Amino acid sequence: MFELLFLTLYSLLLVHSSKGLCYEDQVTCVRTMRQVLVNTSYYWFGTSHNETCQGSSSMSCDNPEPIRLSLASRLFGLSDVHNKTELTALTRQVKLAFVTFNSPAGSIFACGHNFKIPEVANYIVDPLRTMAISSWSLQKVPQVAWDSPNNQTLYTVVIWDAGHYHLHGLYINCYQSSLISGTTIFNYSAPSNPYYISNPVVVLVIPQTVRLNQSSVAQAVEAITGRHQGRFVLSEFRDQFSQELSQRPSHINIITLEADPFSVQYYKDKFVVDNCALLISRLTPLHQVAKLSNLSMSWGDNSTESTDFNNTYLTSLALNLAVTYNTGDFRVEYCCTNYSITSGMFTANPFDESPVRSAVVRLRPRVTLSPMNMKDANRYRSRVYTLFMVDVAPAVEAGQSNARYFTHWLVTNIRNGDVSSGDELSEYFGPNPIIP
């Protein structure tokens, strides 16, 4: 089996948006959100799960309750088929919870690059769009507010990963439409997602009929997560407190997450998955080349994809490429002037637009292949790969499908992840600004 490996150099721009489009028309927004809640094909765990995951062992496809296809069925523990009418009724009166994030500007080092994170001021979560800010900006407890017609009513607020059943925050006895007024049962932890598959984290506001006992709720949370290997099954929690909690939530919002540099590096550091290649696949040059060359590629196409990013992910990726150049002392005379390059090491950074001297990349680099999914280490070694390094600038700049490409290196029959084991069909020729 042959797979194609790409190396592309460009920069990734993170876009900061202060307000979601949903709030321009809240009536339509809430109506659409209610439809999303009962839609069995909207998220990855819905009717497209088998096609999307195809038996993958990836954490992104780890589905705790495959029979629950919609958000509503996961929230209430009811069947999408046999209780469809009931689920629709339960969500019909749901309103929008206002979830707001604030975060100072900062920077993160991820995938070999230093990404600058802009300040986030009053970013309001839009339930119908993928988050347009970095997961790094979600680390502080969000402001959660809702309209309450009765100031005497107490509420429980749950922040819950509806895809993988991880609890990200639980507060009881909240009043005056404010999260911070309540008692913390489970401290807030920022959600993140290192995969291209959109994953929903639900913020749920549930009216209480009485004041809840802090100790009883804490014990219930511990018991539920203990029974399910750390997962929090929300329907079990609601069943256990069916007398103290309203049958239906009053307000909901949905934090929809996709991979970003912070989340990718976070899970890479945990030796779970290294999805840096996913971020590279969103860079514009690869999309331009794919379009001009009519290359057959599998791109992500999520209905919740953020409009703040122009490009989708390449979903067929399995490996990361690390390209490192070692340069010795180098001197050359050009136009009666002597130039020199001191020895050093240079690692290709696809997110950096800074120009690189041709002398630095004149010698064949060391290419390291590594599986994106740490569990696939043995499987990828049994496959055979082809690697090529190509100058795409002539095609991209010309904007024509018949424009020329220049091959700088071509190696086939690479086995065991060792490039030196392959057959070099085209010797390495270092990139330079002169287009043949």
Side-chain angles (χ1 to χ4, degrees), residues 144-191:
V144 181
W146 57 94
D147 60 307
S148 176
N150 185 354
N151 290 332
Q152 303 302 315
T153 302
L154 298 176
Y155 295 86
T156 290
V157 179
V158 184
I159 304 175
W160 181 63
D161 181 339
H164 305 293
Y165 286 20
H166 297 306
L167 186 60
H168 288 278
L170 178 59
Y171 306 82
I172 62 172
N173 302 328
C174 300
Y175 59 95
Q176 294 182 345
S177 304
S178 172
L179 176 69
I180 61 175
S181 65
T183 300
T184 302
I185 300 298
F186 191 92
N187 287 320
Y188 171 78
S189 61

Short mmCIF file of all heavy atoms in Angstrom, two decimals, residues 144-191:
data_model
loop_
_atom_site.label_atom_id
_atom_site.label_comp_id
_atom_site.label_asym_id
_atom_site.label_seq_id
_atom_site.Cartn_x
_atom_site.Cartn_y
_atom_site.Cartn_z
N VAL A 144 -21.50 32.69 32.67
CA VAL A 144 -22.72 32.03 32.18
C VAL A 144 -23.90 32.76 32.79
O VAL A 144 -24.01 32.89 34.01
CB VAL A 144 -22.76 30.54 32.58
CG1 VAL A 144 -24.03 29.88 32.04
CG2 VAL A 144 -21.52 29.81 32.04
N ALA A 145 -24.78 33.25 31.94
CA ALA A 145 -25.95 34.00 32.40
C ALA A 145 -27.18 33.56 31.62
O ALA A 145 -27.07 33.02 30.51
CB ALA A 145 -25.72 35.50 32.24
N TRP A 146 -28.34 33.79 32.19
CA TRP A 146 -29.59 33.40 31.56
C TRP A 146 -30.70 34.28 32.11
O TRP A 146 -30.58 34.87 33.19
CB TRP A 146 -29.90 31.92 31.80
CG TRP A 146 -29.96 31.55 33.27
CD1 TRP A 146 -31.07 31.49 34.06
CD2 TRP A 146 -28.85 31.21 34.12
NE1 TRP A 146 -30.74 31.13 35.34
CE2 TRP A 146 -29.38 30.94 35.40
CE3 TRP A 146 -27.48 31.10 33.91
CZ2 TRP A 146 -28.57 30.59 36.48
CZ3 TRP A 146 -26.68 30.75 34.99
CH2 TRP A 146 -27.22 30.49 36.25
N ASP A 147 -31.77 34.41 31.36
CA ASP A 147 -32.89 35.21 31.84
C ASP A 147 -33.76 34.34 32.74
O ASP A 147 -34.14 33.23 32.38
CB ASP A 147 -33.71 35.77 30.67
CG ASP A 147 -34.29 34.69 29.78
OD1 ASP A 147 -33.50 33.83 29.33
OD2 ASP A 147 -35.51 34.68 29.55
N SER A 148 -34.04 34.85 33.94
CA SER A 148 -34.81 34.10 34.93
C SER A 148 -36.01 34.94 35.36
O SER A 148 -35.84 36.00 35.97
CB SER A 148 -33.95 33.77 36.14
OG SER A 148 -34.71 33.14 37.14
N PRO A 149 -37.23 34.48 35.04
CA PRO A 149 -38.42 35.26 35.41
C PRO A 149 -38.68 35.29 36.90
O PRO A 149 -39.39 36.16 37.40
CB PRO A 149 -39.55 34.53 34.66
CG PRO A 149 -39.04 33.12 34.51
CD PRO A 149 -37.57 33.25 34.33
N ASN A 150 -38.10 34.32 37.63
CA ASN A 150 -38.33 34.23 39.07
C ASN A 150 -36.99 34.22 39.79
O ASN A 150 -36.23 33.26 39.70
CB ASN A 150 -39.12 32.95 39.40
CG ASN A 150 -39.49 32.87 40.87
OD1 ASN A 150 -39.06 33.70 41.68
ND2 ASN A 150 -40.28 31.87 41.21
N ASN A 151 -36.70 35.28 40.51
CA ASN A 151 -35.42 35.39 41.21
C ASN A 151 -35.29 34.40 42.36
O ASN A 151 -34.20 34.24 42.92
CB ASN A 151 -35.23 36.82 41.73
CG ASN A 151 -34.99 37.81 40.61
OD1 ASN A 151 -34.47 37.45 39.56
ND2 ASN A 151 -35.39 39.06 40.83
N GLN A 152 -36.38 33.74 42.73
CA GLN A 152 -36.34 32.78 43.82
C GLN A 152 -35.90 31.39 43.35
O GLN A 152 -35.57 30.53 44.17
CB GLN A 152 -37.72 32.68 44.49
CG GLN A 152 -38.25 34.01 45.01
CD GLN A 152 -37.32 34.65 46.01
OE1 GLN A 152 -36.80 33.98 46.91
NE2 GLN A 152 -37.09 35.95 45.86
N THR A 153 -35.91 31.17 42.04
CA THR A 153 -35.56 29.86 41.50
C THR A 153 -34.06 29.62 41.56
O THR A 153 -33.26 30.50 41.21
CB THR A 153 -36.04 29.72 40.04
OG1 THR A 153 -37.45 29.94 39.99
CG2 THR A 153 -35.72 28.34 39.49
N LEU A 154 -33.67 28.43 41.99
CA LEU A 154 -32.27 28.03 42.00
C LEU A 154 -32.00 27.16 40.76
O LEU A 154 -32.91 26.49 40.25
CB LEU A 154 -31.94 27.24 43.27
CG LEU A 154 -32.10 27.99 44.59
CD1 LEU A 154 -31.82 27.06 45.77
CD2 LEU A 154 -31.18 29.20 44.65
N TYR A 155 -30.75 27.16 40.31
CA TYR A 155 -30.41 26.44 39.08
C TYR A 155 -29.14 25.61 39.27
O TYR A 155 -28.26 25.95 40.07
CB TYR A 155 -30.17 27.42 37.92
CG TYR A 155 -31.40 28.20 37.51
CD1 TYR A 155 -31.75 29.38 38.15
CD2 TYR A 155 -32.20 27.75 36.46
CE1 TYR A 155 -32.87 30.10 37.77
CE2 TYR A 155 -33.32 28.47 36.06
CZ TYR A 155 -33.65 29.63 36.72
OH TYR A 155 -34.77 30.34 36.34
N THR A 156 -29.06 24.53 38.49
CA THR A 156 -27.83 23.75 38.36
C THR A 156 -27.25 24.02 36.97
O THR A 156 -27.99 23.99 35.97
CB THR A 156 -28.10 22.24 38.52
OG1 THR A 156 -28.43 21.97 39.89
CG2 THR A 156 -26.87 21.42 38.14
N VAL A 157 -25.96 24.30 36.90
CA VAL A 157 -25.30 24.56 35.63
C VAL A 157 -24.25 23.47 35.39
O VAL A 157 -23.40 23.23 36.25
CB VAL A 157 -24.63 25.95 35.61
CG1 VAL A 157 -23.92 26.18 34.27
CG2 VAL A 157 -25.67 27.04 35.85
N VAL A 158 -24.34 22.83 34.23
CA VAL A 158 -23.43 21.74 33.88
C VAL A 158 -22.69 22.12 32.59
O VAL A 158 -23.32 22.55 31.62
CB VAL A 158 -24.18 20.42 33.66
CG1 VAL A 158 -23.19 19.28 33.40
CG2 VAL A 158 -25.06 20.09 34.86
N ILE A 159 -21.38 21.97 32.59
CA ILE A 159 -20.56 22.14 31.38
C ILE A 159 -20.03 20.76 31.05
O ILE A 159 -19.21 20.20 31.79
CB ILE A 159 -19.42 23.15 31.61
CG1 ILE A 159 -20.00 24.49 32.09
CG2 ILE A 159 -18.62 23.35 30.32
CD1 ILE A 159 -18.93 25.52 32.45
N TRP A 160 -20.49 20.20 29.93
CA TRP A 160 -20.34 18.76 29.69
C TRP A 160 -20.00 18.46 28.23
O TRP A 160 -20.65 18.97 27.31
CB TRP A 160 -21.64 18.06 30.08
CG TRP A 160 -21.69 16.58 29.93
CD1 TRP A 160 -20.93 15.66 30.58
CD2 TRP A 160 -22.59 15.84 29.10
NE1 TRP A 160 -21.28 14.38 30.21
CE2 TRP A 160 -22.31 14.46 29.30
CE3 TRP A 160 -23.61 16.19 28.21
CZ2 TRP A 160 -23.00 13.45 28.64
CZ3 TRP A 160 -24.30 15.19 27.55
CH2 TRP A 160 -23.99 13.83 27.76
N ASP A 161 -18.97 17.66 28.03
CA ASP A 161 -18.59 17.18 26.70
C ASP A 161 -19.59 16.11 26.27
O ASP A 161 -19.56 14.98 26.75
CB ASP A 161 -17.18 16.60 26.75
CG ASP A 161 -16.68 16.12 25.39
OD1 ASP A 161 -17.51 15.85 24.50
OD2 ASP A 161 -15.45 15.99 25.24
N ALA A 162 -20.49 16.48 25.36
CA ALA A 162 -21.55 15.57 24.94
C ALA A 162 -21.07 14.51 23.97
O ALA A 162 -21.77 13.53 23.71
CB ALA A 162 -22.70 16.35 24.31
N GLY A 163 -19.86 14.68 23.43
CA GLY A 163 -19.33 13.68 22.53
C GLY A 163 -18.65 12.54 23.27
O GLY A 163 -18.88 11.37 22.98
N HIS A 164 -17.81 12.90 24.25
CA HIS A 164 -17.00 11.90 24.94
C HIS A 164 -17.37 11.75 26.42
O HIS A 164 -16.73 10.97 27.13
CB HIS A 164 -15.52 12.26 24.81
CG HIS A 164 -15.08 12.43 23.39
ND1 HIS A 164 -15.03 11.39 22.49
CD2 HIS A 164 -14.70 13.54 22.69
CE1 HIS A 164 -14.63 11.84 21.31
NE2 HIS A 164 -14.43 13.13 21.41
N TYR A 165 -18.36 12.50 26.88
CA TYR A 165 -18.90 12.38 28.24
C TYR A 165 -17.90 12.76 29.32
O TYR A 165 -17.79 12.11 30.36
CB TYR A 165 -19.41 10.96 28.49
CG TYR A 165 -20.72 10.63 27.80
CD1 TYR A 165 -21.16 11.36 26.70
CD2 TYR A 165 -21.52 9.59 28.22
CE1 TYR A 165 -22.35 11.07 26.06
CE2 TYR A 165 -22.73 9.28 27.59
CZ TYR A 165 -23.13 10.02 26.51
OH TYR A 165 -24.31 9.73 25.88
N HIS A 166 -17.17 13.84 29.10
CA HIS A 166 -16.27 14.35 30.12
C HIS A 166 -16.91 15.58 30.77
O HIS A 166 -17.42 16.46 30.08
CB HIS A 166 -14.91 14.73 29.52
CG HIS A 166 -14.18 13.57 28.93
ND1 HIS A 166 -13.91 12.42 29.64
CD2 HIS A 166 -13.66 13.36 27.69
CE1 HIS A 166 -13.26 11.56 28.88
NE2 HIS A 166 -13.10 12.11 27.68
N LEU A 167 -16.86 15.63 32.08
CA LEU A 167 -17.42 16.75 32.82
C LEU A 167 -16.40 17.88 32.90
O LEU A 167 -15.25 17.66 33.29
CB LEU A 167 -17.82 16.30 34.23
CG LEU A 167 -18.58 17.31 35.10
CD1 LEU A 167 -19.89 17.72 34.44
CD2 LEU A 167 -18.83 16.72 36.49
N HIS A 168 -16.82 19.09 32.54
CA HIS A 168 -15.92 20.25 32.57
C HIS A 168 -16.33 21.30 33.59
O HIS A 168 -15.67 22.33 33.71
CB HIS A 168 -15.84 20.88 31.18
CG HIS A 168 -15.07 20.07 30.19
ND1 HIS A 168 -13.70 20.09 30.11
CD2 HIS A 168 -15.49 19.17 29.26
CE1 HIS A 168 -13.30 19.26 29.16
NE2 HIS A 168 -14.36 18.69 28.63
N GLY A 169 -17.40 21.04 34.32
CA GLY A 169 -17.81 21.97 35.36
C GLY A 169 -19.22 21.65 35.83
O GLY A 169 -20.08 21.29 35.03
N LEU A 170 -19.44 21.76 37.15
CA LEU A 170 -20.78 21.51 37.70
C LEU A 170 -21.00 22.43 38.90
O LEU A 170 -20.20 22.45 39.84
CB LEU A 170 -20.92 20.04 38.14
CG LEU A 170 -22.25 19.65 38.79
CD1 LEU A 170 -23.42 19.92 37.84
CD2 LEU A 170 -22.24 18.18 39.20
N TYR A 171 -22.09 23.20 38.83
CA TYR A 171 -22.40 24.19 39.86
C TYR A 171 -23.87 24.04 40.25
O TYR A 171 -24.74 23.87 39.39
CB TYR A 171 -22.14 25.60 39.34
CG TYR A 171 -20.75 25.79 38.79
CD1 TYR A 171 -20.43 25.40 37.48
CD2 TYR A 171 -19.74 26.35 39.56
CE1 TYR A 171 -19.16 25.55 36.97
CE2 TYR A 171 -18.46 26.51 39.06
CZ TYR A 171 -18.17 26.11 37.77
OH TYR A 171 -16.90 26.26 37.27
N ILE A 172 -24.16 24.09 41.54
CA ILE A 172 -25.53 23.94 42.01
C ILE A 172 -25.96 25.18 42.79
O ILE A 172 -25.13 26.00 43.19
CB ILE A 172 -25.69 22.68 42.90
CG1 ILE A 172 -24.82 22.81 44.16
CG2 ILE A 172 -25.34 21.42 42.12
CD1 ILE A 172 -25.07 21.70 45.19
N ASN A 173 -27.27 25.29 42.98
CA ASN A 173 -27.86 26.37 43.78
C ASN A 173 -27.47 27.75 43.27
O ASN A 173 -27.23 28.68 44.05
CB ASN A 173 -27.45 26.22 45.26
CG ASN A 173 -27.87 24.88 45.84
OD1 ASN A 173 -28.90 24.31 45.45
ND2 ASN A 173 -27.08 24.34 46.76
N CYS A 174 -27.39 27.88 41.95
CA CYS A 174 -27.10 29.19 41.35
C CYS A 174 -28.37 30.04 41.36
O CYS A 174 -29.48 29.52 41.18
CB CYS A 174 -26.61 29.03 39.92
SG CYS A 174 -25.10 28.04 39.75
N TYR A 175 -28.22 31.33 41.54
CA TYR A 175 -29.38 32.21 41.57
C TYR A 175 -29.03 33.53 40.89
O TYR A 175 -27.87 33.80 40.56
CB TYR A 175 -29.85 32.45 43.01
CG TYR A 175 -28.81 33.06 43.91
CD1 TYR A 175 -28.75 34.44 44.11
CD2 TYR A 175 -27.88 32.26 44.57
CE1 TYR A 175 -27.79 35.00 44.94
CE2 TYR A 175 -26.92 32.81 45.40
CZ TYR A 175 -26.88 34.19 45.58
OH TYR A 175 -25.92 34.74 46.40
N GLN A 176 -30.06 34.33 40.66
CA GLN A 176 -29.92 35.64 40.01
C GLN A 176 -29.19 35.52 38.67
O GLN A 176 -28.39 36.38 38.29
CB GLN A 176 -29.18 36.62 40.93
CG GLN A 176 -29.97 36.97 42.18
CD GLN A 176 -29.26 37.98 43.06
OE1 GLN A 176 -28.07 38.23 42.90
NE2 GLN A 176 -30.00 38.57 43.99
N SER A 177 -29.46 34.43 37.96
CA SER A 177 -28.96 34.24 36.59
C SER A 177 -27.44 34.36 36.49
O SER A 177 -26.90 34.95 35.56
CB SER A 177 -29.61 35.26 35.64
OG SER A 177 -31.00 35.18 35.69
N SER A 178 -26.74 33.78 37.46
CA SER A 178 -25.29 33.91 37.47
C SER A 178 -24.63 32.61 37.91
O SER A 178 -25.04 32.01 38.92
CB SER A 178 -24.87 35.05 38.40
OG SER A 178 -23.47 35.08 38.57
N LEU A 179 -23.60 32.21 37.18
CA LEU A 179 -22.87 30.99 37.53
C LEU A 179 -22.11 31.15 38.84
O LEU A 179 -22.10 30.25 39.69
CB LEU A 179 -21.89 30.65 36.40
CG LEU A 179 -20.96 29.45 36.62
CD1 LEU A 179 -21.76 28.16 36.60
CD2 LEU A 179 -19.88 29.41 35.55
N ILE A 180 -21.48 32.29 39.04
CA ILE A 180 -20.61 32.48 40.20
C ILE A 180 -21.39 32.57 41.50
O ILE A 180 -20.80 32.50 42.59
CB ILE A 180 -19.75 33.75 40.04
CG1 ILE A 180 -20.63 35.00 39.92
CG2 ILE A 180 -18.83 33.63 38.84
CD1 ILE A 180 -19.83 36.29 39.89
N SER A 181 -22.71 32.68 41.42
CA SER A 181 -23.52 32.75 42.64
C SER A 181 -23.72 31.37 43.27
O SER A 181 -24.15 31.27 44.42
CB SER A 181 -24.89 33.37 42.33
OG SER A 181 -25.62 32.51 41.46
N GLY A 182 -23.41 30.31 42.51
CA GLY A 182 -23.68 28.97 42.99
C GLY A 182 -22.54 28.33 43.75
O GLY A 182 -21.48 28.94 43.99
N THR A 183 -22.73 27.07 44.11
CA THR A 183 -21.73 26.27 44.81
C THR A 183 -21.03 25.35 43.82
O THR A 183 -21.70 24.63 43.06
CB THR A 183 -22.38 25.43 45.92
OG1 THR A 183 -23.03 26.30 46.85
CG2 THR A 183 -21.34 24.60 46.65
N THR A 184 -19.72 25.36 43.83
CA THR A 184 -18.95 24.54 42.88
C THR A 184 -18.87 23.10 43.37
O THR A 184 -18.40 22.83 44.48
CB THR A 184 -17.53 25.10 42.71
OG1 THR A 184 -17.60 26.45 42.26
CG2 THR A 184 -16.74 24.27 41.71
N ILE A 185 -19.31 22.17 42.52
CA ILE A 185 -19.18 20.75 42.81
C ILE A 185 -18.00 20.16 42.06
O ILE A 185 -17.23 19.36 42.59
CB ILE A 185 -20.47 19.99 42.40
CG1 ILE A 185 -21.67 20.53 43.18
CG2 ILE A 185 -20.31 18.49 42.62
CD1 ILE A 185 -21.58 20.34 44.68
N PHE A 186 -17.83 20.58 40.82
CA PHE A 186 -16.73 20.11 39.97
C PHE A 186 -16.10 21.33 39.33
O PHE A 186 -16.75 22.05 38.56
CB PHE A 186 -17.26 19.14 38.91
CG PHE A 186 -16.19 18.39 38.17
CD1 PHE A 186 -15.76 17.14 38.60
CD2 PHE A 186 -15.59 18.93 37.03
CE1 PHE A 186 -14.77 16.45 37.91
CE2 PHE A 186 -14.61 18.25 36.34
CZ PHE A 186 -14.20 17.00 36.79
N ASN A 187 -14.84 21.59 39.65
CA ASN A 187 -14.17 22.79 39.15
C ASN A 187 -14.10 22.80 37.62
O ASN A 187 -13.91 21.76 36.99
CB ASN A 187 -12.75 22.88 39.72
CG ASN A 187 -12.73 23.27 41.18
OD1 ASN A 187 -13.50 24.13 41.61
ND2 ASN A 187 -11.86 22.64 41.96
N TYR A 188 -14.21 23.99 37.08
CA TYR A 188 -14.15 24.16 35.63
C TYR A 188 -12.79 23.74 35.08
O TYR A 188 -11.74 24.08 35.64
CB TYR A 188 -14.42 25.62 35.26
CG TYR A 188 -14.17 25.94 33.80
CD1 TYR A 188 -15.10 25.58 32.83
CD2 TYR A 188 -13.00 26.58 33.40
CE1 TYR A 188 -14.88 25.86 31.49
CE2 TYR A 188 -12.78 26.87 32.06
CZ TYR A 188 -13.71 26.51 31.11
OH TYR A 188 -13.49 26.79 29.78
N SER A 189 -12.81 22.99 33.99
CA SER A 189 -11.59 22.66 33.25
C SER A 189 -11.87 22.97 31.78
O SER A 189 -12.92 22.62 31.25
CB SER A 189 -11.20 21.19 33.42
OG SER A 189 -12.23 20.33 32.94
N ALA A 190 -10.94 23.64 31.15
CA ALA A 190 -11.15 24.11 29.78
C ALA A 190 -11.28 22.95 28.81
O ALA A 190 -10.44 22.04 28.80
CB ALA A 190 -10.01 25.03 29.35
N PRO A 191 -12.30 22.94 27.96
CA PRO A 191 -12.42 21.89 26.94
C PRO A 191 -11.46 22.15 25.79
O PRO A 191 -11.08 23.29 25.53
CB PRO A 191 -13.88 22.02 26.49
CG PRO A 191 -14.21 23.47 26.71
CD PRO A 191 -13.43 23.88 27.94
#
